[in-house]
Amino acid sequence: MDNQGIAAVFYEVADILDLQRVAFKPNAYRRAARSIESLEVDISQLAAEGKLEEIPGVGKSVAKKIEEILRTGELQFLKKLRAQIPEGLLGLLSVPDVGPKTAMALYKELGIANLDQLKQAALDHRVRTLKGFGEKTEERIVQGLRTLESKGGRILLGDALPVATAYIEYLKLSGSLDLASVAGSLRRGKETVGDIDILVGDDEPSSVMEAFVSYPDVKEILMKGPTKSSIVLKNNLQVDIRAVETASFGAALQYFTGSKEHNVAMRKIGLDMGLKLNEYGVFERDSEKRVAGETEEEVYKALGLPFIPPEIRENDGEIEAARKGTLPRLLEPRHVRGDVHVHTNWTDGANSIKDIVSTAVSMGYEYVAITDHSQSLKITNGLTPDRLRKQVDAVRKVEEEFRGKIKVLAGNEVDIRADGSLDYASSVLKDLDIVIASVHSRFKMEREEMTRRVVKAIESGFVDILGHPTGRIIGQRLPYELDMAGVLEAAKDAGVSMELNSFPERLDLSDAHCRLAKDSKVKVAIGTDAHSKEQMGFIKFGIITARRGWLGDSDVVNTLSAKDLMSMLRRRKR
């Protein structure tokens, strides 16, 4: 079993213990799971070297469980836990807004032990009859069920992209592959994808097809053909490959990247110009003469358009902008100079301040912000004012060690309390370089109340960035009710930036909200919300989402130099 599989085992253990209302242990297993899935090496290698207990959050007991899983492929402790709850009950936790307490109440009071029973009870309006639930709770459960159903078998961008990248690298190493790329919604950077599409350009693709179905992680071969094949991986993700001649690779890549709506608009332009556009190329309709097809750039040029980046090919104004010459110059990885949201082992992170800073230096950053949790979030070992002051001192000492190499900002992710006040007094906040304010509780407030809460925090004078502004967790928790236009107006007036949280489960702001922030002239700050040094690589998912939201380097705080960023933060505080 690989790292992800073992992490999944411990996440399930934590969920069942939560259902049983066991204290403390669920968080310990989740911390171990987060560390395991973030490892850069195969966990079996660490086990062979006797180094399992060096993994943050892995003690002697968890290490023995990992060894058991590696040895037998399963965990007896998990099997015993599963036997203690009704089959299907765990599935209730997959519904946004249904936590362990709610799931157990539904089971004990209404006998609901699976998703089908929950759906029927909600449609029959029986859920609202439970004490402490009511009509609003029932409506949110129905909405959560719809969200879960719409997600179907889709997986996160952050899970799919590394798999696709590794697969393509394998294919390139397996033979003389001329051209290869991901296609479909994954190439467009959608936050979830149904499967992985790979396109290759090769005039003799038989060896590529053979290598494709021989990939070590293949569980089942669905189809193998001379130019098309499909497989299912051991993690149940379907991957499809298609091969085209190198002369048609650009046209095929444009066609199979989509979106469907973008392609329809492109074909209409071609028709108006007397051209035919398909996956084989661009052709004159009368003579069938090929006009373009080898590269995407020449496909767009043949239609009188500049190259349109794949992330914005949604038929949402990009073609009109291309015709007018007003396409934005989108954010690129090279523009990002630092990470403004990182956690350490002072709260619920896996690594020390020095480890985080060292990683930031290796990534070529000019700055990194240490932003651990504030005191109210006790589940994360949030910092009391005294501990926060000690951490600020520790940050300054580490920065001194790295003098001349990087700027280290002493900050905090401060809870926004239910009444909109911040989790620390002004005397504490004024000594921080950067403050992220986030909602971590009372997600079910009414729209007006939640908006007032967030706006009050923004207007406090101490907030630099509004963290994960809608609070969503993709496929798990719905966004809380919020007047985003009103929040953006307040942020603009106060000079507060909106976070684009790059954690794959969040991507919050969404692409649509990024575009709204841009139109509202509110800056966006990309933060990884990393809880380990490995997760600092999540910045790429934030960049992809920013590009989908039409953001350029001038729209993003992280593109500032360290000197300009510090000047902006100090000026705002004055």
Side-chain angles (χ1 to χ4, degrees), residues 46-79:
L46 296 179
E49 296 170 356
K51 295 181 178 179
L52 289 177
E53 291 182 48
E54 294 182 13
I55 302 171
V58 174
K60 187 175 293 184
S61 174
V62 173
K64 285 183 178 179
K65 288 180 173 64
I66 293 170
E67 290 170 349
E68 179 188 343
I69 296 168
L70 290 171
R71 187 176 64 254
T72 68
E74 59 184 4
L75 182 64
Q76 289 300 315
F77 178 55
L78 177 56
K79 290 181 73 173

PDB file of all heavy atoms in Angstrom, residues 46-79:
ATOM      1  N   LEU A  46      11.034   4.199   4.611  1.00  0.00           N
ATOM      2  CA  LEU A  46      11.270   4.641   5.989  1.00  0.00           C
ATOM      3  C   LEU A  46      11.086   3.489   6.962  1.00  0.00           C
ATOM      4  O   LEU A  46      11.820   3.369   7.953  1.00  0.00           O
ATOM      5  CB  LEU A  46      10.325   5.789   6.341  1.00  0.00           C
ATOM      6  CG  LEU A  46      10.488   7.086   5.545  1.00  0.00           C
ATOM      7  CD1 LEU A  46       9.463   8.128   6.008  1.00  0.00           C
ATOM      8  CD2 LEU A  46      11.889   7.650   5.695  1.00  0.00           C
ATOM      9  N   ALA A  47      10.107   2.620   6.674  1.00  0.00           N
ATOM     10  CA  ALA A  47       9.885   1.454   7.543  1.00  0.00           C
ATOM     11  C   ALA A  47      11.088   0.524   7.507  1.00  0.00           C
ATOM     12  O   ALA A  47      11.530   0.018   8.550  1.00  0.00           O
ATOM     13  CB  ALA A  47       8.620   0.712   7.098  1.00  0.00           C
ATOM     14  N   ALA A  48      11.630   0.306   6.319  1.00  0.00           N
ATOM     15  CA  ALA A  48      12.793  -0.578   6.181  1.00  0.00           C
ATOM     16  C   ALA A  48      14.012  -0.024   6.907  1.00  0.00           C
ATOM     17  O   ALA A  48      14.858  -0.786   7.398  1.00  0.00           O
ATOM     18  CB  ALA A  48      13.102  -0.783   4.698  1.00  0.00           C
ATOM     19  N   GLU A  49      14.088   1.308   6.980  1.00  0.00           N
ATOM     20  CA  GLU A  49      15.226   1.959   7.636  1.00  0.00           C
ATOM     21  C   GLU A  49      14.973   2.205   9.120  1.00  0.00           C
ATOM     22  O   GLU A  49      15.816   2.781   9.812  1.00  0.00           O
ATOM     23  CB  GLU A  49      15.526   3.294   6.940  1.00  0.00           C
ATOM     24  CG  GLU A  49      15.968   3.142   5.483  1.00  0.00           C
ATOM     25  CD  GLU A  49      16.033   4.469   4.749  1.00  0.00           C
ATOM     26  OE1 GLU A  49      15.652   5.508   5.366  1.00  0.00           O
ATOM     27  OE2 GLU A  49      16.444   4.488   3.577  1.00  0.00           O
ATOM     28  N   GLY A  50      13.780   1.786   9.626  1.00  0.00           N
ATOM     29  CA  GLY A  50      13.453   1.981  11.029  1.00  0.00           C
ATOM     30  C   GLY A  50      13.239   3.433  11.398  1.00  0.00           C
ATOM     31  O   GLY A  50      13.483   3.833  12.541  1.00  0.00           O
ATOM     32  N   LYS A  51      12.735   4.228  10.444  1.00  0.00           N
ATOM     33  CA  LYS A  51      12.613   5.680  10.662  1.00  0.00           C
ATOM     34  C   LYS A  51      11.152   6.163  10.716  1.00  0.00           C
ATOM     35  O   LYS A  51      10.892   7.348  10.593  1.00  0.00           O
ATOM     36  CB  LYS A  51      13.340   6.436   9.553  1.00  0.00           C
ATOM     37  CG  LYS A  51      14.846   6.221   9.538  1.00  0.00           C
ATOM     38  CD  LYS A  51      15.501   7.030   8.423  1.00  0.00           C
ATOM     39  CE  LYS A  51      17.015   6.868   8.438  1.00  0.00           C
ATOM     40  NZ  LYS A  51      17.651   7.634   7.333  1.00  0.00           N
ATOM     41  N   LEU A  52      10.214   5.244  10.929  1.00  0.00           N
ATOM     42  CA  LEU A  52       8.808   5.661  10.935  1.00  0.00           C
ATOM     43  C   LEU A  52       8.509   6.693  12.011  1.00  0.00           C
ATOM     44  O   LEU A  52       7.713   7.623  11.795  1.00  0.00           O
ATOM     45  CB  LEU A  52       7.897   4.442  11.121  1.00  0.00           C
ATOM     46  CG  LEU A  52       7.790   3.478   9.933  1.00  0.00           C
ATOM     47  CD1 LEU A  52       6.925   2.286  10.295  1.00  0.00           C
ATOM     48  CD2 LEU A  52       7.224   4.186   8.700  1.00  0.00           C
ATOM     49  N   GLU A  53       9.128   6.548  13.174  1.00  0.00           N
ATOM     50  CA  GLU A  53       8.837   7.472  14.277  1.00  0.00           C
ATOM     51  C   GLU A  53       9.446   8.856  14.068  1.00  0.00           C
ATOM     52  O   GLU A  53       9.220   9.764  14.868  1.00  0.00           O
ATOM     53  CB  GLU A  53       9.306   6.862  15.597  1.00  0.00           C
ATOM     54  CG  GLU A  53       8.467   5.659  16.020  1.00  0.00           C
ATOM     55  CD  GLU A  53       8.892   5.082  17.364  1.00  0.00           C
ATOM     56  OE1 GLU A  53       9.064   5.877  18.313  1.00  0.00           O
ATOM     57  OE2 GLU A  53       9.061   3.849  17.452  1.00  0.00           O
ATOM     58  N   GLU A  54      10.217   9.016  12.985  1.00  0.00           N
ATOM     59  CA  GLU A  54      10.734  10.339  12.640  1.00  0.00           C
ATOM     60  C   GLU A  54       9.689  11.157  11.872  1.00  0.00           C
ATOM     61  O   GLU A  54       9.856  12.352  11.687  1.00  0.00           O
ATOM     62  CB  GLU A  54      12.009  10.203  11.808  1.00  0.00           C
ATOM     63  CG  GLU A  54      13.181   9.600  12.571  1.00  0.00           C
ATOM     64  CD  GLU A  54      14.450   9.509  11.734  1.00  0.00           C
ATOM     65  OE1 GLU A  54      14.477  10.137  10.654  1.00  0.00           O
ATOM     66  OE2 GLU A  54      15.392   8.820  12.164  1.00  0.00           O
ATOM     67  N   ILE A  55       8.623  10.481  11.421  1.00  0.00           N
ATOM     68  CA  ILE A  55       7.541  11.198  10.741  1.00  0.00           C
ATOM     69  C   ILE A  55       6.754  11.984  11.784  1.00  0.00           C
ATOM     70  O   ILE A  55       6.336  11.430  12.798  1.00  0.00           O
ATOM     71  CB  ILE A  55       6.590  10.215  10.023  1.00  0.00           C
ATOM     72  CG1 ILE A  55       7.354   9.353   9.011  1.00  0.00           C
ATOM     73  CG2 ILE A  55       5.461  10.971   9.324  1.00  0.00           C
ATOM     74  CD1 ILE A  55       6.521   8.222   8.443  1.00  0.00           C
ATOM     75  N   PRO A  56       6.536  13.299  11.575  1.00  0.00           N
ATOM     76  CA  PRO A  56       5.778  14.095  12.549  1.00  0.00           C
ATOM     77  C   PRO A  56       4.402  13.476  12.818  1.00  0.00           C
ATOM     78  O   PRO A  56       3.679  13.125  11.891  1.00  0.00           O
ATOM     79  CB  PRO A  56       5.647  15.458  11.860  1.00  0.00           C
ATOM     80  CG  PRO A  56       6.821  15.529  10.941  1.00  0.00           C
ATOM     81  CD  PRO A  56       7.039  14.130  10.461  1.00  0.00           C
ATOM     82  N   GLY A  57       4.079  13.308  14.104  1.00  0.00           N
ATOM     83  CA  GLY A  57       2.785  12.764  14.478  1.00  0.00           C
ATOM     84  C   GLY A  57       2.741  11.254  14.552  1.00  0.00           C
ATOM     85  O   GLY A  57       1.709  10.685  14.915  1.00  0.00           O
ATOM     86  N   VAL A  58       3.833  10.584  14.205  1.00  0.00           N
ATOM     87  CA  VAL A  58       3.878   9.121  14.242  1.00  0.00           C
ATOM     88  C   VAL A  58       4.706   8.669  15.440  1.00  0.00           C
ATOM     89  O   VAL A  58       5.922   8.833  15.475  1.00  0.00           O
ATOM     90  CB  VAL A  58       4.469   8.538  12.941  1.00  0.00           C
ATOM     91  CG1 VAL A  58       4.638   7.017  13.063  1.00  0.00           C
ATOM     92  CG2 VAL A  58       3.567   8.871  11.757  1.00  0.00           C
ATOM     93  N   GLY A  59       4.006   8.113  16.449  1.00  0.00           N
ATOM     94  CA  GLY A  59       4.683   7.552  17.611  1.00  0.00           C
ATOM     95  C   GLY A  59       4.803   6.046  17.482  1.00  0.00           C
ATOM     96  O   GLY A  59       4.550   5.464  16.424  1.00  0.00           O
ATOM     97  N   LYS A  60       5.140   5.399  18.595  1.00  0.00           N
ATOM     98  CA  LYS A  60       5.383   3.963  18.582  1.00  0.00           C
ATOM     99  C   LYS A  60       4.126   3.185  18.158  1.00  0.00           C
ATOM    100  O   LYS A  60       4.195   2.253  17.363  1.00  0.00           O
ATOM    101  CB  LYS A  60       5.847   3.503  19.967  1.00  0.00           C
ATOM    102  CG  LYS A  60       6.296   2.044  20.017  1.00  0.00           C
ATOM    103  CD  LYS A  60       6.865   1.692  21.394  1.00  0.00           C
ATOM    104  CE  LYS A  60       8.172   2.449  21.648  1.00  0.00           C
ATOM    105  NZ  LYS A  60       8.795   2.037  22.935  1.00  0.00           N
ATOM    106  N   SER A  61       2.957   3.574  18.693  1.00  0.00           N
ATOM    107  CA  SER A  61       1.725   2.853  18.394  1.00  0.00           C
ATOM    108  C   SER A  61       1.347   2.956  16.921  1.00  0.00           C
ATOM    109  O   SER A  61       1.016   1.953  16.273  1.00  0.00           O
ATOM    110  CB  SER A  61       0.579   3.384  19.259  1.00  0.00           C
ATOM    111  OG  SER A  61      -0.648   2.799  18.896  1.00  0.00           O
ATOM    112  N   VAL A  62       1.393   4.169  16.373  1.00  0.00           N
ATOM    113  CA  VAL A  62       1.039   4.359  14.964  1.00  0.00           C
ATOM    114  C   VAL A  62       2.075   3.689  14.061  1.00  0.00           C
ATOM    115  O   VAL A  62       1.725   3.107  13.025  1.00  0.00           O
ATOM    116  CB  VAL A  62       0.909   5.861  14.633  1.00  0.00           C
ATOM    117  CG1 VAL A  62       0.713   6.076  13.139  1.00  0.00           C
ATOM    118  CG2 VAL A  62      -0.261   6.478  15.395  1.00  0.00           C
ATOM    119  N   ALA A  63       3.339   3.743  14.460  1.00  0.00           N
ATOM    120  CA  ALA A  63       4.393   3.098  13.666  1.00  0.00           C
ATOM    121  C   ALA A  63       4.125   1.594  13.535  1.00  0.00           C
ATOM    122  O   ALA A  63       4.290   1.010  12.456  1.00  0.00           O
ATOM    123  CB  ALA A  63       5.756   3.345  14.289  1.00  0.00           C
ATOM    124  N   LYS A  64       3.705   0.964  14.621  1.00  0.00           N
ATOM    125  CA  LYS A  64       3.398  -0.474  14.577  1.00  0.00           C
ATOM    126  C   LYS A  64       2.226  -0.751  13.640  1.00  0.00           C
ATOM    127  O   LYS A  64       2.201  -1.758  12.924  1.00  0.00           O
ATOM    128  CB  LYS A  64       3.073  -0.978  15.987  1.00  0.00           C
ATOM    129  CG  LYS A  64       4.304  -1.128  16.882  1.00  0.00           C
ATOM    130  CD  LYS A  64       3.907  -1.701  18.237  1.00  0.00           C
ATOM    131  CE  LYS A  64       5.148  -1.904  19.122  1.00  0.00           C
ATOM    132  NZ  LYS A  64       4.781  -2.430  20.451  1.00  0.00           N
ATOM    133  N   LYS A  65       1.256   0.161  13.645  1.00  0.00           N
ATOM    134  CA  LYS A  65       0.098  -0.003  12.755  1.00  0.00           C
ATOM    135  C   LYS A  65       0.524   0.137  11.289  1.00  0.00           C
ATOM    136  O   LYS A  65       0.028  -0.579  10.414  1.00  0.00           O
ATOM    137  CB  LYS A  65      -0.986   1.011  13.119  1.00  0.00           C
ATOM    138  CG  LYS A  65      -1.698   0.713  14.438  1.00  0.00           C
ATOM    139  CD  LYS A  65      -2.755   1.755  14.727  1.00  0.00           C
ATOM    140  CE  LYS A  65      -3.602   1.376  15.951  1.00  0.00           C
ATOM    141  NZ  LYS A  65      -2.836   1.324  17.201  1.00  0.00           N
ATOM    142  N   ILE A  66       1.430   1.072  11.017  1.00  0.00           N
ATOM    143  CA  ILE A  66       1.937   1.237   9.648  1.00  0.00           C
ATOM    144  C   ILE A  66       2.649  -0.032   9.199  1.00  0.00           C
ATOM    145  O   ILE A  66       2.447  -0.516   8.071  1.00  0.00           O
ATOM    146  CB  ILE A  66       2.896   2.449   9.564  1.00  0.00           C
ATOM    147  CG1 ILE A  66       2.128   3.757   9.800  1.00  0.00           C
ATOM    148  CG2 ILE A  66       3.586   2.495   8.191  1.00  0.00           C
ATOM    149  CD1 ILE A  66       3.014   4.973   9.963  1.00  0.00           C
ATOM    150  N   GLU A  67       3.464  -0.591  10.082  1.00  0.00           N
ATOM    151  CA  GLU A  67       4.183  -1.831   9.753  1.00  0.00           C
ATOM    152  C   GLU A  67       3.209  -2.972   9.467  1.00  0.00           C
ATOM    153  O   GLU A  67       3.418  -3.777   8.549  1.00  0.00           O
ATOM    154  CB  GLU A  67       5.124  -2.198  10.901  1.00  0.00           C
ATOM    155  CG  GLU A  67       6.313  -1.260  11.044  1.00  0.00           C
ATOM    156  CD  GLU A  67       7.096  -1.482  12.321  1.00  0.00           C
ATOM    157  OE1 GLU A  67       6.596  -2.226  13.198  1.00  0.00           O
ATOM    158  OE2 GLU A  67       8.199  -0.915  12.448  1.00  0.00           O
ATOM    159  N   GLU A  68       2.115  -3.022  10.224  1.00  0.00           N
ATOM    160  CA  GLU A  68       1.102  -4.052   9.999  1.00  0.00           C
ATOM    161  C   GLU A  68       0.452  -3.892   8.626  1.00  0.00           C
ATOM    162  O   GLU A  68       0.244  -4.866   7.894  1.00  0.00           O
ATOM    163  CB  GLU A  68       0.033  -3.989  11.095  1.00  0.00           C
ATOM    164  CG  GLU A  68      -1.076  -5.024  10.926  1.00  0.00           C
ATOM    165  CD  GLU A  68      -2.221  -4.831  11.905  1.00  0.00           C
ATOM    166  OE1 GLU A  68      -2.033  -4.124  12.920  1.00  0.00           O
ATOM    167  OE2 GLU A  68      -3.311  -5.383  11.652  1.00  0.00           O
ATOM    168  N   ILE A  69       0.133  -2.659   8.275  1.00  0.00           N
ATOM    169  CA  ILE A  69      -0.491  -2.395   6.970  1.00  0.00           C
ATOM    170  C   ILE A  69       0.462  -2.781   5.839  1.00  0.00           C
ATOM    171  O   ILE A  69       0.056  -3.412   4.851  1.00  0.00           O
ATOM    172  CB  ILE A  69      -0.897  -0.914   6.847  1.00  0.00           C
ATOM    173  CG1 ILE A  69      -1.964  -0.561   7.882  1.00  0.00           C
ATOM    174  CG2 ILE A  69      -1.425  -0.613   5.444  1.00  0.00           C
ATOM    175  CD1 ILE A  69      -2.209   0.932   8.021  1.00  0.00           C
ATOM    176  N   LEU A  70       1.735  -2.404   5.977  1.00  0.00           N
ATOM    177  CA  LEU A  70       2.715  -2.725   4.938  1.00  0.00           C
ATOM    178  C   LEU A  70       2.916  -4.235   4.816  1.00  0.00           C
ATOM    179  O   LEU A  70       3.139  -4.762   3.722  1.00  0.00           O
ATOM    180  CB  LEU A  70       4.051  -2.038   5.254  1.00  0.00           C
ATOM    181  CG  LEU A  70       4.078  -0.513   5.102  1.00  0.00           C
ATOM    182  CD1 LEU A  70       5.386   0.049   5.645  1.00  0.00           C
ATOM    183  CD2 LEU A  70       3.893  -0.108   3.640  1.00  0.00           C
ATOM    184  N   ARG A  71       2.809  -4.914   5.942  1.00  0.00           N
ATOM    185  CA  ARG A  71       3.058  -6.369   5.963  1.00  0.00           C
ATOM    186  C   ARG A  71       1.859  -7.163   5.457  1.00  0.00           C
ATOM    187  O   ARG A  71       2.005  -8.147   4.722  1.00  0.00           O
ATOM    188  CB  ARG A  71       3.416  -6.792   7.385  1.00  0.00           C
ATOM    189  CG  ARG A  71       3.870  -8.249   7.522  1.00  0.00           C
ATOM    190  CD  ARG A  71       4.313  -8.570   8.942  1.00  0.00           C
ATOM    191  NE  ARG A  71       3.234  -8.452   9.914  1.00  0.00           N
ATOM    192  CZ  ARG A  71       3.116  -7.463  10.784  1.00  0.00           C
ATOM    193  NH1 ARG A  71       4.029  -6.492  10.817  1.00  0.00           N
ATOM    194  NH2 ARG A  71       2.099  -7.435  11.630  1.00  0.00           N
ATOM    195  N   THR A  72       0.640  -6.728   5.847  1.00  0.00           N
ATOM    196  CA  THR A  72      -0.553  -7.536   5.562  1.00  0.00           C
ATOM    197  C   THR A  72      -1.527  -6.888   4.580  1.00  0.00           C
ATOM    198  O   THR A  72      -2.435  -7.556   4.095  1.00  0.00           O
ATOM    199  CB  THR A  72      -1.317  -7.819   6.868  1.00  0.00           C
ATOM    200  OG1 THR A  72      -1.875  -6.584   7.365  1.00  0.00           O
ATOM    201  CG2 THR A  72      -0.399  -8.429   7.920  1.00  0.00           C
ATOM    202  N   GLY A  73      -1.360  -5.594   4.333  1.00  0.00           N
ATOM    203  CA  GLY A  73      -2.277  -4.898   3.439  1.00  0.00           C
ATOM    204  C   GLY A  73      -3.536  -4.403   4.104  1.00  0.00           C
ATOM    205  O   GLY A  73      -4.418  -3.841   3.445  1.00  0.00           O
ATOM    206  N   GLU A  74      -3.666  -4.607   5.431  1.00  0.00           N
ATOM    207  CA  GLU A  74      -4.838  -4.127   6.151  1.00  0.00           C
ATOM    208  C   GLU A  74      -4.482  -3.855   7.610  1.00  0.00           C
ATOM    209  O   GLU A  74      -3.367  -4.147   8.052  1.00  0.00           O
ATOM    210  CB  GLU A  74      -5.977  -5.141   6.071  1.00  0.00           C
ATOM    211  CG  GLU A  74      -5.642  -6.504   6.629  1.00  0.00           C
ATOM    212  CD  GLU A  74      -6.762  -7.503   6.435  1.00  0.00           C
ATOM    213  OE1 GLU A  74      -7.773  -7.167   5.792  1.00  0.00           O
ATOM    214  OE2 GLU A  74      -6.643  -8.633   6.938  1.00  0.00           O
ATOM    215  N   LEU A  75      -5.447  -3.283   8.335  1.00  0.00           N
ATOM    216  CA  LEU A  75      -5.234  -2.947   9.749  1.00  0.00           C
ATOM    217  C   LEU A  75      -6.365  -3.560  10.566  1.00  0.00           C
ATOM    218  O   LEU A  75      -7.536  -3.210  10.387  1.00  0.00           O
ATOM    219  CB  LEU A  75      -5.198  -1.424   9.933  1.00  0.00           C
ATOM    220  CG  LEU A  75      -4.942  -0.913  11.351  1.00  0.00           C
ATOM    221  CD1 LEU A  75      -3.556  -1.325  11.843  1.00  0.00           C
ATOM    222  CD2 LEU A  75      -5.095   0.616  11.399  1.00  0.00           C
ATOM    223  N   GLN A  76      -6.029  -4.478  11.445  1.00  0.00           N
ATOM    224  CA  GLN A  76      -7.038  -5.163  12.250  1.00  0.00           C
ATOM    225  C   GLN A  76      -7.811  -4.186  13.139  1.00  0.00           C
ATOM    226  O   GLN A  76      -9.005  -4.348  13.364  1.00  0.00           O
ATOM    227  CB  GLN A  76      -6.376  -6.252  13.113  1.00  0.00           C
ATOM    228  CG  GLN A  76      -5.884  -7.454  12.327  1.00  0.00           C
ATOM    229  CD  GLN A  76      -7.003  -8.148  11.582  1.00  0.00           C
ATOM    230  OE1 GLN A  76      -8.091  -8.374  12.122  1.00  0.00           O
ATOM    231  NE2 GLN A  76      -6.746  -8.486  10.313  1.00  0.00           N
ATOM    232  N   PHE A  77      -7.121  -3.163  13.646  1.00  0.00           N
ATOM    233  CA  PHE A  77      -7.764  -2.160  14.488  1.00  0.00           C
ATOM    234  C   PHE A  77      -8.908  -1.494  13.736  1.00  0.00           C
ATOM    235  O   PHE A  77     -10.003  -1.286  14.269  1.00  0.00           O
ATOM    236  CB  PHE A  77      -6.733  -1.125  14.935  1.00  0.00           C
ATOM    237  CG  PHE A  77      -7.290  -0.006  15.782  1.00  0.00           C
ATOM    238  CD1 PHE A  77      -7.991  -0.272  16.942  1.00  0.00           C
ATOM    239  CD2 PHE A  77      -7.107   1.316  15.416  1.00  0.00           C
ATOM    240  CE1 PHE A  77      -8.511   0.754  17.721  1.00  0.00           C
ATOM    241  CE2 PHE A  77      -7.605   2.357  16.190  1.00  0.00           C
ATOM    242  CZ  PHE A  77      -8.310   2.063  17.339  1.00  0.00           C
ATOM    243  N   LEU A  78      -8.691  -1.181  12.442  1.00  0.00           N
ATOM    244  CA  LEU A  78      -9.736  -0.565  11.636  1.00  0.00           C
ATOM    245  C   LEU A  78     -10.881  -1.539  11.399  1.00  0.00           C
ATOM    246  O   LEU A  78     -12.061  -1.165  11.438  1.00  0.00           O
ATOM    247  CB  LEU A  78      -9.163  -0.078  10.299  1.00  0.00           C
ATOM    248  CG  LEU A  78     -10.167   0.525   9.308  1.00  0.00           C
ATOM    249  CD1 LEU A  78     -10.930   1.683   9.939  1.00  0.00           C
ATOM    250  CD2 LEU A  78      -9.457   0.981   8.039  1.00  0.00           C
ATOM    251  N   LYS A  79     -10.572  -2.803  11.162  1.00  0.00           N
ATOM    252  CA  LYS A  79     -11.618  -3.807  10.957  1.00  0.00           C
ATOM    253  C   LYS A  79     -12.517  -3.918  12.194  1.00  0.00           C
ATOM    254  O   LYS A  79     -13.742  -4.029  12.084  1.00  0.00           O
ATOM    255  CB  LYS A  79     -10.986  -5.161  10.627  1.00  0.00           C
ATOM    256  CG  LYS A  79     -10.326  -5.229   9.253  1.00  0.00           C
ATOM    257  CD  LYS A  79      -9.748  -6.603   8.969  1.00  0.00           C
ATOM    258  CE  LYS A  79     -10.832  -7.607   8.685  1.00  0.00           C
ATOM    259  NZ  LYS A  79     -10.286  -8.912   8.246  1.00  0.00           N
TER     260      LYS A  79
END
